[in-house]
Amino acid sequence: MSKEILDEIIKSNKPTSNIFLLYGEEAFLRAHYKKSLKGLFMPESMPDLNYYSFDGRDYSLSAVDEAIEALPVFDDRKLLIFDNSMLFKPDARTGAKAEVREYWEKRLKDIPEYVYIIFNETEIDKRSSIFKFISKNYISTEFSYLDEGKMVRWTQTLFKRLGKIISPDDCTYLINLCPDGMMSVKTEAEKLCSYAKDKQNVTREDIDLLVVPKLEDKVFDMVSAILEKDIDKSLTLLKNLIALKTEPTQILGAILYNVEKIASVKLLLSSKRTKQEIASALKIAPFQVNKFSDIASRFKKDELERLIHAAATKDMQLKTNSMDNNVLLEVFIMETASQH
C-alpha cells in the first residue's frame, strides 16, 4: 500500500488496521512512519506497561505470547514493535528460525483487537507466506530509495529548513556521496549547515571539505581507470588510498563490489529493466544506477567478468599470503589495467 494511506491514518487518528509492516531500503522514511504510528498508538498518557520493543531476530516467543495475551493496563490498547525481526526471510540461515515463522503463521491469525503490532524491516522476501498474509489482511508499505529528482527536491527543502541554500547541481553532487539515502544526507546537511554558519549558501567547496565519500565511491574511479587501461591513474588513486592507511583487503573488496554492480546493471539493462527496478534489485539508490550504467555501456560483459574473477582470486591471495599486501595490490592493478 502507498504511504498516502499511512498519512491518512495518522492524520485522521483512525487506524484501519492493527498490524503494520514497514519495509525497504530507505531507513529515514521507515523511521519517520514508525515514530508517527507509535505516537498514534501510544500517546503520552498511555502507560509504558503497554509498550513492548523487540530488536533483532533473537527474542523469546513466550515473551511475545505473554505481551499479546495480557490485557492492557489502564488503557484500551497495547503496542508491540519489532525491528529487523528477519521474519519475512524464509531462509533460516539469514532470516528467522523455522519455529519462529511457524509461530507467527499461527499467531497472526489470532491477534486481539486491542494489540497493535509494527514490524520495521530492512530486508524482506515478498515470496514469503507471512509477507503475503500481512499484505492481504493488514497494511504493508514499502519505502524504497527516492529517485534523483525527488531526492534533490527533498534535499533542497531540508537545507531551507536548516536556514541555507544549495543549488540543484550541488544537491546532486551531495546525494551521490551519500549512497545510504535520506538519513546520510540529513547527517551531512546538518554538518554542512553548522560549518557554513553566517554564509547563506552551501557550496561544492564546502561539500568537498567536509563530506568523506565511502570507500566504494572512492574506488569507483579506480575501477573506471582500470577498465580504461589507464595504469598511471589507477596507481595514483591506489597510492592515495594507501597513504590514508586503507587496508589492501578493503580496497580490493571495494573494487570487487563496484565491478559486480557494473556487471549486474549491464545484465539488468539488457533485460529491459527500468532504473527503479534495477535499483530495487541491487539494493542501491536509483541515482546510483546512472553511475554504474554509464560505465557498463562502455565495456563488454566478458571484460567485466574477467576483472571480477581476477579480483576474487587476488582477494584469496591477499588473505592467505605472507608478502606485503600493498605490493601485491599494486601488481594486481598494473596487470589488470594492462589486460582489460
Side-chain angles (χ1 to χ4, degrees), residues 59-335:
Y59 53 82
S60 165
L61 293 179
S62 60
V64 174
D65 233 21
E66 183 178 340
I68 291 174
E69 293 296 335
L71 292 173
V73 178
F74 303 121
D75 209 293
D76 58 359
R77 64 177 60 161
K78 58 170 51 181
L79 174 64
L80 284 68
I81 295 182
F82 294 83
D83 289 300
N84 287 319
S85 69
M86 310 304 283
L87 177 62
F88 304 89
K89 295 189 69 177
D91 188 344
R93 293 171 298 175
T94 57
K97 296 177 182 178
E99 58 265 30
V100 174
R101 295 197 305 275
E102 291 170 4
Y103 165 84
W104 279 107
E105 284 173 356
K106 295 178 181 177
R107 181 76 263 191
L108 286 170
K109 297 173 183 176
D110 184 30
I111 300 293
E113 291 183 359
Y114 56 80
V115 174
Y116 289 80
I117 298 176
I118 299 172
F119 291 103
N120 176 34
E121 307 287 331
T122 303
E123 294 184 79
I124 65 152
D125 185 337
K126 294 182 179 180
R127 298 168 297 180
S128 73
S129 58
I130 298 179
F131 172 80
K132 291 177 180 177
F133 179 82
I134 288 183
S135 297
K136 180 180 179 180
N137 297 282
Y138 298 102
I139 291 180
S140 65
T141 307
E142 182 172 13
F143 297 93
S144 302
Y145 286 126
L146 301 184
D147 63 35
E148 186 171 312
K150 290 180 180 178
M151 195 70 178
V152 167
R153 290 192 293 274
W154 178 82
T155 302
Q156 284 194 290
T157 301
L158 172 63
F159 274 90
K160 186 176 181 180
R161 286 204 305 266
L162 294 170
K164 302 296 178 185
I165 297 172
I166 186 171
S167 71
D169 286 345
D170 287 344
C171 268
T172 301
Y173 184 70
L174 174 62
I175 64 178
N176 276 285
L177 293 175
C178 301
D180 295 328
M182 299 167 77
M183 196 76 80
S184 57
V185 170
K186 181 175 181 291
T187 299
E188 298 299 344
E190 290 171 345
K191 189 196 320 180
L192 287 162
C193 291
S194 177
Y195 170 78
K197 294 183 179 178
D198 297 330
K199 290 199 308 178
Q200 185 178 22
N201 292 72
V202 171
T203 65
R204 179 77 58 94
E205 290 73 23
D206 298 328
I207 296 171
D208 286 336
L209 180 64
L210 294 182
V211 180
V212 179
K214 292 183 68 174
L215 179 59
E216 290 81 4
D217 294 307
K218 291 181 181 179
V219 171
F220 177 82
D221 290 337
M222 186 194 302
V223 170
S224 179
I226 291 171
L227 289 167
E228 290 166 354
K229 301 180 182 180
D230 190 334
I231 298 176
D232 290 340
K233 183 177 180 180
S234 302
L235 290 176
T236 298
L237 293 169
L238 173 63
K239 289 174 181 176
N240 289 342
L241 288 172
I242 291 174
L244 294 172
K245 301 188 183 303
T246 312
E247 287 293 327
T249 51
Q250 292 179 313
I251 296 172
L252 193 57
I255 291 173
L256 194 55
Y257 167 88
N258 276 287
V259 187
E260 287 177 339
K261 284 289 186 288
I262 293 166
S264 297
V265 167
K266 187 175 188 68
L267 176 64
L268 292 169
L269 283 171
S270 67
S271 63
K272 308 299 182 184
R273 299 284 191 93
T274 66
K275 185 188 299 186
Q276 192 71 41
E277 289 171 337
I278 293 173
S280 180
L282 299 181
K283 306 298 182 186
I284 59 176
F287 50 82
Q288 283 194 294
V289 176
N290 291 335
K291 177 178 74 172
F292 291 118
S293 63
D294 176 63
I295 193 170
S297 66
R298 293 187 281 120
F299 297 97
K300 296 179 181 179
K301 177 185 175 184
D302 60 343
E303 291 179 285
L304 299 172
E305 289 177 344
R306 282 200 301 272
L307 184 50
I308 290 172
H309 177 72
T313 301
K314 186 59 64 175
D315 183 56
M316 290 296 296
Q317 187 178 355
L318 289 184
K319 293 174 180 176
T320 57
N321 87 96
S322 58
M323 296 175 62
D324 186 330
N325 279 348
N326 287 334
V327 174
L328 285 174
L329 191 54
E330 187 172 336
V331 172
F332 166 77
I333 296 295
M334 289 190 291
E335 290 176 346

